[in-house]
Amino acid sequence: MPVTHVSHDIDALTLTITAEFAAPRARIWQIYADPRQLEKIWGPPTYPATVVDHEFAPGGRVTSYMTGPEGDKHAGYWNIISVDEPTGFTFTDGFADADFTPIESMPVSTNEFSFQDKDGSTIATYVSTYATAEGLQQVLDMGVVEGASQAIGQIDDLVKA
């Protein structure tokens, strides 16, 4: 499993996941920049993702849904804030209904995904910041650490293919 460290800080309202991949930074970047590759890693293995819109540029929007084992669909969106190829990007991430309208009662996070070269490998740092401790606790209770770790774990197989 490429995830090397997970921590959350209720006071700072953050969840941080660090991973290491046996691939150059440009290859890891491609996974997020290409909607078909993103689909292969965005959901945990039992909740594969389908990317519907993928405007991966500042001011753009990425929409997707994950389909559960029973056929249940869970939609979400990213509003892209900044893109700095291949070092990282920032975005807000939220839950949505079937037509990708944000669900106001669910937490929204501001995310910074950064990628650093390390001897031919890549260190990825994923930091999510929530508006409230309650929002962070809500996603922790929903299993975000497990789901994100499983999703990130799929990157190794994709870069080896």
Side-chain angles (χ1 to χ4, degrees):
M1 185 69 99
V3 172
T4 58
H5 183 74
V6 177
S7 65
H8 66 273
D9 184 331
I10 293 292
D11 293 331
L13 310 175
T14 58
L15 170 64
T16 303
I17 299 174
T18 306
E20 185 169 355
F21 305 106
R25 179 173 57 181
R27 176 65 186 103
I28 302 304
W29 175 265
Q30 289 172 349
I31 293 168
Y32 294 93
D34 177 348
R36 302 297 72 92
Q37 291 184 61
L38 181 60
E39 288 178 332
K40 295 178 181 183
I41 62 96
W42 187 241
T46 57
Y47 281 80
T50 300
V51 175
V52 178
D53 298 300
H54 191 269
E55 187 181 349
F56 196 61
R61 193 163 197 237
V62 175
T63 59
S64 64
Y65 60 88
M66 290 183 260
T67 303
E70 306 299 319
D72 47 311
K73 295 187 184 214
H74 307 275
Y77 64 91
W78 294 353
N79 290 325
I80 306 295
I81 299 167
S82 67
V83 174
D84 185 17
E85 182 179 351
T87 61
F89 62 103
T90 59
F91 61 99
T92 57
D93 180 18
F95 297 87
D97 63 19
D99 67 356
F100 300 110
T101 300
I103 298 174
E104 300 294 330
S105 63
M106 295 297 289
V108 174
S109 60
T110 300
N111 297 268
E112 181 176 348
F113 285 15
S114 61
F115 311 109
Q116 295 180 311
D117 287 321
K118 180 186 172 190
D119 302 322
S121 294
T122 300
I123 303 295
T125 305
Y126 306 97
V127 180
S128 301
T129 304
Y130 291 83
T132 65
E134 294 78 18
L136 173 55
Q137 190 61 56
Q138 185 176 359
V139 297
L140 290 170
D141 293 344
M142 292 169 63
V144 69
V145 170
E146 297 80 4
S149 295
Q150 289 175 6
I152 291 166
Q154 298 171 113
I155 292 174
D156 266 353
D157 288 340
L158 184 59
V159 297
K160 291 175 187 173

